[in-house]
Amino acid sequence: MKIDKNTIVFVSGGAGVIGKELVKKLLNRNCQIYVGDLKPQPVEWIGKILYRQGDLNSLSKDEILSFQPDLFFHLAATFERSTESYEFWDENFHNNILLSHHLMTLLKDLQSLKKVIFASSYLIYNPDLYLSDMYTGKIYKLKETDQVLPRNLTGMAKIAHEIELRFLNNFKNKQFKFASARIFRGYGKGSKDVISRWIRSLLKEEEIKVFRKEGIFDYIYAEDTAEGLIRLAESEKAQGVVNLGSGQSCSVKELLNVLYEHFPNLNYEEIEVDVPYEASQADINLLISYTGWKPSHSIHTAIP
């Protein structure tokens, strides 16, 4: 589908890090946009979009019927760092599992709906593929066909909704298509990710704490993630699960070297932790084949 001034778009979680980048791109295409988020509306959107602040679990059928979206980007989610707290048990169920099910219950029978793009996660993949108790330096390129075994509650919630969408596809494939984008390590302005947190600390000339310098990750910049989601929405071929990463990995040590270029006085404390080494990378061949596009930013170009 072509996204333009005639496209009516619903974005859940649109005021988040990826959402802000996505809405900016949609505004540039003059779309009609309805955003729902727990956060207050960014001031720059006032008068340009419809905005609903609050828990989308209370979104009603009438509200959706009044808007009749063609396209749904489901970004709304809650997550913690790799080690989830005990308190996350209820939060994950309410804001991830229950919310995803509720929103698709409202949307699944809309005749206007043409495509659903779900922000999933690489945390779905079996961590035994890319985690190790010993550093080997060998990178594992995760493919969409690799075994799944969610790494934590967030990953469990993501795979649950992927399965729900696959189920709906059995009955609704002539009405709307869906793509579940398994997003890798995101970073961007205002994010809670390690790159963004470190930069905020370094701007205040604070010492940063570093874990497992040998760890290797596929970092994808939020602007690229947003562009990738739009490309998947516009692609006639994109359907089902697809990786959304940079396709290039780097180690924490390499990341620190880039930060040194901008913060020559960088100080860090290396913390010993009892966690496995990660060495993961997205295989993005399917993304490229669907969209003819790949992310353009690296940590060298995005960090400045």
Side-chain angles (χ1 to χ4, degrees):
M1 65 179 296
K2 181 175 176 57
I3 302 175
D4 57 22
K5 64 181 181 180
N6 297 314
T7 310
I8 303 173
V9 187
F10 174 35
V11 184
S12 71
V17 177
I18 298 169
K20 285 182 179 178
E21 297 286 353
L22 179 65
V23 171
K24 185 191 305 181
K25 290 177 179 291
L26 294 172
L27 284 170
N28 288 338
R29 293 168 182 246
N30 298 311
C31 300
Q32 300 172 61
I33 308 166
Y34 179 28
V35 170
D37 203 297
L38 289 169
K39 305 179 194 68
Q41 179 176 193
V43 293
E44 63 269 23
W45 294 353
I46 296 174
K48 297 179 181 178
I49 68 170
L50 292 176
Y51 195 87
R52 183 190 194 279
Q53 182 182 356
D55 185 352
L56 287 174
N57 277 296
S58 65
L59 186 70
S60 70
K61 186 77 170 181
D62 287 341
E63 288 177 275
I64 286 294
L65 286 172
S66 68
F67 194 67
Q68 295 282 332
D70 305 300
L71 175 59
F72 174 38
F73 288 101
H74 181 27
L75 309 182
T78 186
F79 56 89
E80 295 187 324
R81 297 181 194 172
S82 298
T83 302
E84 295 168 339
S85 67
Y86 183 74
E87 290 72 25
F88 190 61
W89 174 268
D90 291 325
E91 185 180 342
N92 176 69
F93 179 77
H94 185 82
N95 292 329
N96 293 339
I97 297 173
L98 190 63
L99 178 63
S100 295
H101 181 80
H102 174 66
L103 293 178
M104 279 313 302
T105 298
L106 297 180
L107 288 158
K108 64 184 176 62
D109 296 318
L110 284 184
Q111 292 304 308
S112 63
L113 189 65
K114 297 181 179 69
K115 199 149 192 180
V116 175
I117 304 296
F118 172 48
S120 189
S121 170
Y122 88 108
L123 294 172
I124 280 171
Y125 293 113
N126 186 345
D128 290 343
L129 296 170
Y130 60 88
L131 295 184
S132 174
D133 290 331
M134 295 181 62
Y135 172 69
T136 64
K138 184 178 180 181
I139 299 171
Y140 189 89
K141 291 187 178 181
L142 289 159
K143 300 176 288 298
E144 290 84 356
T145 52
D146 276 330
Q147 183 186 40
V148 298
L149 181 63
R151 182 166 161 179
N152 52 20
L153 289 179
T154 301
M156 178 269 288
K158 297 295 188 183
I159 191 65
H161 194 54
E162 282 191 11
I163 293 169
E164 285 193 316
L165 290 172
R166 191 174 67 201
F167 171 86
L168 289 177
N169 186 61
N170 293 330
F171 303 92
K172 297 288 185 177
N173 61 79
K174 292 182 180 179
Q175 178 192 334
F176 66 85
K177 305 296 183 186
F178 81 94
S180 293
R182 290 180 178 171
I183 301 169
F184 280 65
R185 288 272 175 161
Y187 67 105
K189 298 169 187 174
S191 176
K192 296 179 182 178
D193 71 275
V194 67
I195 295 178
S196 307
R197 285 188 286 109
W198 279 353
I199 289 173
R200 285 195 291 272
S201 293
L202 292 170
L203 285 168
K204 293 185 284 187
E205 299 182 350
E206 296 173 347
E207 182 181 75
I208 60 175
K209 298 186 185 302
V210 176
F211 308 86
R212 289 282 197 253
K213 281 196 302 184
E214 299 83 3
I216 301 169
F217 304 90
D218 186 324
Y219 298 104
I220 180 166
Y221 188 48
E223 193 274 333
D224 277 336
T225 304
E227 183 65 26
L229 296 174
I230 286 178
R231 299 282 182 135
L232 289 171
E234 291 192 313
S235 169
E236 293 298 325
K237 297 186 293 182
Q239 171 80 351
V241 170
V242 56
N243 284 336
L244 182 49
S246 70
Q248 298 292 326
S249 291
C250 79
S251 68
V252 174
K253 185 176 181 181
E254 291 174 280
L255 172 58
L256 287 170
N257 287 336
V258 175
L259 291 173
Y260 269 122
E261 296 173 14
H262 304 283
F263 303 97
N265 297 320
L266 181 154
N267 286 311
Y268 69 85
E269 178 186 4
E270 193 163 1
I271 308 295
E272 287 295 324
V273 289
D274 185 23
V275 297
Y277 292 94
E278 179 163 339
S280 62
Q281 182 173 307
D283 181 321
I284 60 170
N285 285 323
L286 189 58
L287 173 71
I288 295 169
S289 71
Y290 280 159
T291 65
W293 170 88
K294 63 180 180 180
S296 60
H297 292 87
S298 67
I299 57 170
H300 295 273
T301 60
I303 281 177

